[in-house]
Amino acid sequence: MSKIKTVAVVGGTHGNEFSGIYLLRKWQQSAALARDSFSVETVFANPKAHNDNKRYVDHDLNRQFSLADLANNELASYEQSRAKAINQQIGPKGDAKVDFIIDLHNTTSNMGPSLILLQSDRFNRQLGAYVKMHMPNAVIVLEDHTSVEQHHFLSSIAPQGVIVEIGPQPQSVIRQDVLDWMNEMTKHILDFVHLYNTDELLPLIPSYEAFRYHETLSLPLDEQGQRIGMVHRSVQDNDFEPLHSGDPIFTLFDGSEIFWKGDYEAFPHFINEAAYYDNNLAMSLAKKVQISTLD
């Protein structure tokens, strides 16, 4: 892969996820993001949603960046228009001004300091290893998108992009531990990019544990589409802990339980994420994998 010349660090893609927004303000007053081998641009993605203390005004901004949607001028809600403006600022997608995007997010789930890799090429696999080596409590999550042109995240504007996802943090608040984790992880990512650019990377661990997204589970609903249950207390807050067939996964409001019937060892994450209640989503499930840095 060619050297990275420009990095965009994005905060506030969701207006009520405060850590990235406050870190952007802090970094804009210092040289903390600066590295000799590339330039850094900061982007405050969704200011109106932040001012309104909402995740979004009309539509989830982080779902508006497919090539088809960016080219469709009839899509003109606030976030759809913001997506087109951001694409013009740091894109356009497919021929972007920036080479790498770090998109900063909070989650209400107990995911700790998680780094979501959207591609599994050598650069991303080595980035995950570098972060794990320097931040052992970091969790690496793979959400492979073989064609960045097709996926709809903001980070897909650039050829390379990652999502920093830190929790648990309630919406519209700031926690020091979460803010510190986000600050530290972003520093390590930028350090890796610089060492990659300058061919100064020291030997990396040959492999490391990660979690590859597999599927999403919905909350139990009745025939009218009303929720009839909640995440089981044995699962709640246990992000990245193993779930086996026969384990309880939901408790219905009548007191009965639903048991998971999967045929693999699953690792729930984004458990009971508040932002996903709009779509009745309960959690994502991943499989544990070993990621090699040697090939």
Side-chain angles (χ1 to χ4, degrees), residues 5-22:
K5 299 177 181 178
T6 307
V7 175
V9 180
V10 181
T13 300
H14 297 131
N16 58 6
E17 297 178 5
F18 279 9
S19 293
I21 295 166
Y22 280 83

Side-chain angles (χ1 to χ4, degrees), residues 85-139:
I86 293 168
N87 187 53
Q88 189 172 45
Q89 178 183 351
I90 62 175
K93 186 171 180 174
D95 187 25
K97 303 177 186 72
V98 302
D99 303 306
F100 183 62
I101 294 173
I102 305 171
D103 194 11
L104 306 175
H105 288 260
N106 291 127
T107 174
T108 63
S109 303
N110 189 29
M111 287 174 57
S114 296
L115 173 62
I116 300 178
L117 304 177
L118 302 176
Q119 300 180 62
S120 55
D121 59 7
R122 190 167 184 263
F123 173 84
N124 280 274
R125 287 183 278 113
Q126 289 192 340
L127 169 59
Y130 184 89
V131 170
K132 283 290 289 184
M133 289 172 64
H134 292 82
M135 194 175 182
N137 60 339
V139 179

Side-chain angles (χ1 to χ4, degrees), residues 34-274:
R35 302 293 187 277
D36 292 339
S37 67
F38 56 86
S39 62
V40 179
E41 179 175 357
T42 57
V43 180
F44 186 176
N46 201 334
K48 190 174 192 306
H50 179 59
N51 289 338
D52 292 349
N53 197 19
K54 297 177 179 178
R55 179 176 174 85
Y56 54 81
V57 177
D58 296 312
H59 297 94
D60 189 329
L61 179 58
N62 209 31
R63 304 296 187 272
Q64 308 306 317
F65 291 90
S66 71
L67 281 172
D69 288 350
L70 290 170
N72 187 349
N73 290 327
E74 293 184 4
L75 300 179
S77 73
Y78 176 73
E79 276 80 15
Q80 290 164 346
S81 298
R82 277 297 296 155
K84 292 175 176 62
I86 293 168
N87 187 53
Q88 189 172 45
Q89 178 183 351
I90 62 175
K93 186 171 180 174
D95 187 25
K97 303 177 186 72
V98 302
D99 303 306
F100 183 62
I101 294 173
I102 305 171
D103 194 11
L104 306 175
H105 288 260
N106 291 127
T107 174
T108 63
S109 303
N110 189 29
M111 287 174 57
S114 296
L115 173 62
I116 300 178
L117 304 177
L118 302 176
Q119 300 180 62
S120 55
D121 59 7
R122 190 167 184 263
F123 173 84
N124 280 274
R125 287 183 278 113
Q126 289 192 340
L127 169 59
Y130 184 89
V131 170
K132 283 290 289 184
M133 289 172 64
H134 292 82
M135 194 175 182
N137 60 339
V139 179
I140 310 300
V141 180
L142 300 179
E143 291 191 11
D144 292 346
H145 294 273
T146 55
S147 173
V148 294
E149 289 81 7
Q150 296 303 316
H151 88 69
H152 46 214
F153 294 147
L154 186 153
S155 54
S156 71
I157 292 174
Q160 293 284 353
V162 296
I163 297 175
V164 173
E165 189 78 62
I166 313 291
Q169 180 161 291
Q171 296 171 337
S172 305
V173 303
I174 301 175
R175 283 180 51 148
Q176 183 178 357
D177 54 350
V178 170
L179 191 79
D180 289 348
W181 278 336
M182 183 175 285
N183 185 60
E184 181 183 357
M185 184 173 284
T186 304
K187 172 187 177 297
H188 292 317
I189 295 169
L190 293 172
D191 287 345
F192 170 83
V193 173
H194 175 67
L195 294 171
Y196 173 86
N197 278 346
T198 57
D199 296 319
E200 296 178 288
L201 268 177
L202 296 176
L204 299 169
I205 51 176
S207 66
Y208 59 94
E209 178 183 280
F211 298 90
R212 187 184 299 275
Y213 168 80
H214 186 67
E215 62 179 313
T216 299
L217 298 185
S218 297
L219 292 161
L221 306 174
D222 63 17
E223 293 179 354
Q224 289 72 45
Q226 298 298 312
R227 296 186 195 110
I228 57 173
M230 55 193 162
V231 172
H232 195 278
R233 62 184 175 186
S234 66
V235 177
Q236 181 64 52
D237 298 327
N238 288 319
D239 293 72
F240 302 111
E241 293 296 322
L243 179 72
H244 301 100
S245 183
D247 289 344
I249 193 166
F250 297 117
T251 302
L252 302 187
F253 297 138
D254 65 8
S256 60
E257 296 178 336
I258 294 177
F259 300 88
W260 192 56
K261 298 180 180 179
D263 60 357
Y264 64 96
E265 183 180 51
F267 292 84
H269 57 290
F270 284 117
I271 298 172
N272 226 3
E273 163 60 53

